């Protein structure tokens, strides 16, 4: 059973870069069966897809965040990472990593999800 | 940009049927996914590709999708079903989530 775990600083200063890592256990990122995603949830409810990466490094980003976001993968460590540059208070959210199984050559649903990590942007 | 609209809240009595809608332009032509999120927990997939249930999800959860509206139906709603529910679809290779519906079991 694949499990995901986010890690990284819980507090980031405005204008700095948010960096998070997702560690995958119980399965290999390199198996090619899933895209590996980042999703965030702002205080109060809504979910926002940030983007995902395939094991070969191919990435897809939400157009609304694309200019500030980078997702990378380290298959040797079975991890993938997220960087968000020039953060503001609007980037304060719970950040989740999740697997997105391939179906018909495309990413399908999001499952499993990590437990999430709260990142607060504040000076 | 594509939007999915959900009612902010739905109330249901125990044992009754709850229906949560998700509306979007020509949504019936897309696969819709539903997630349940308990307070303080991560979302959990409960319906995929419109009407399929993952292993372990009770049969009282069902999904349908036609026209501009997808519906999550919970038959015989139980107190444990009280949670937030989110719909999701893909548009132009971008995952779109609805704003979420808080289900209250009164």
């Amino acid at each position: 059973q694949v499990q995901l775990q986010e890690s990284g600083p819980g507090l980031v200063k405005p204008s700095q870069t948010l960096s998070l890592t997702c560690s995958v256990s119980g399965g290999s990122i390199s198996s090619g069966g899933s895209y590996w995603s980042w999703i965030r949830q702002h205080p109060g409810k809504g979910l926002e897809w940030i983007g995902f990466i395939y094991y070969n490094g191919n990435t897809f980003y939400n157009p609304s965040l694309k200019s500030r976001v980078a997702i990378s993968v380290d298959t040797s460590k079975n991890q993938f990472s997220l960087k968000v540059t020039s953060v503001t208070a609007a980037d304060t959210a719970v950040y989740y990593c999740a697997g997105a199984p391939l179906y018909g050559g495309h990413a399908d649903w999001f499952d499993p999800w990590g437990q999430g990590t709260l990142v607060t942007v504040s000076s | 940009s594509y939007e999915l609209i959900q009612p902010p809240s739905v109330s249901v009595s125990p044992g009754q049927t709850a229906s949560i809608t998700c509306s979007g332009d020509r949504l019936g032509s897309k696969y819709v996914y539903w997630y349940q999120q308990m307070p303080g927990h991560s979302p959990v997939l409960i319906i995929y590709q419109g009407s399929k249930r993952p292993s372990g999800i009770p049969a009282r959860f069902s999904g349908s999708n036609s026209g501009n509206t997808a519906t999550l139906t919970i038959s015989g709603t139980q107190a444990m079903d009280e949670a937030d529910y989110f719909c999701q679809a893909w548009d132009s290779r971008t995952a779109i989530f609805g704003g979420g519906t808080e289900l209250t079991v009164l």
Side-chain angles (χ1 to χ4, degrees):
Chain A
Q1 180 179 346
V2 176
Q3 294 184 314
L4 288 75
Q5 178 68 60
E6 305 87 350
S7 60
L11 181 64
V12 182
K13 289 182 167 53
S15 80
Q16 294 191 342
T17 296
L18 177 161
S19 297
L20 296 173
T21 295
C22 181
S23 299
V24 180
S25 59
S28 172
I29 281 181
S30 299
S31 70
S34 294
Y35 280 90
W36 302 98
S37 308
W38 287 98
I39 297 163
R40 68 182 184 181
Q41 185 169 33
H42 294 98
K45 193 167 288 183
L47 292 165
E48 181 178 33
W49 177 70
I50 298 170
F52 53 39
I53 192 165
Y54 197 49
Y55 79 98
N56 62 3
N58 286 348
T59 52
F60 298 90
Y61 299 122
N62 188 325
S64 67
L65 295 168
K66 187 175 182 178
S67 64
R68 298 194 296 124
V69 168
I71 299 176
S72 59
V73 65
D74 187 336
T75 55
S76 67
K77 294 182 178 179
N78 220 31
Q79 295 176 336
F80 60 106
S81 299
L82 170 71
K83 290 188 186 298
V84 182
T85 61
S86 305
V87 298
T88 69
D91 294 306
T92 293
V94 175
Y95 285 75
Y96 295 99
C97 57
L102 284 173
Y103 184 85
H106 301 285
D108 212 341
W109 56 87
F110 294 105
D111 180 70
W113 296 59
Q115 67 182 30
T117 186
L118 174 62
V119 178
T120 301
V121 179
S122 175
S123 56
Chain B
S1 61
Y2 196 82
E3 287 187 288
L4 294 175
I5 307 300
Q6 297 181 238
S9 62
V10 168
S11 297
V12 64
S13 299
Q16 298 304 301
T17 296
S19 295
I20 298 173
T21 58
C22 174
S23 299
D25 185 41
R26 292 174 292 176
L27 186 57
S29 66
K30 304 177 186 295
Y31 278 140
V32 176
Y33 310 85
W34 290 94
Y35 302 86
Q36 177 192 64
Q37 186 177 33
M38 298 293 190
H41 288 78
S42 307
V44 173
L45 178 73
I46 57 173
I47 295 289
Y48 67 100
Q49 294 177 353
S51 59
K52 300 176 183 178
R53 280 179 293 106
S55 173
I57 300 302
R60 65 179 181 274
F61 291 92
S62 63
S64 62
N65 186 18
S66 179
N68 294 323
T69 303
T71 303
L72 172 69
T73 301
I74 310 173
S75 304
T77 307
Q78 301 182 9
M80 69 172 66
D81 299 329
E82 195 163 272
D84 290 332
Y85 292 85
F86 296 88
C87 60
Q88 179 246 315
W90 291 93
D91 181 74
S92 301
R93 306 193 86 174
T94 300
I96 308 296
F97 288 92
T101 298
E102 180 180 18
L103 178 68
T104 301
V105 183
L106 298 171

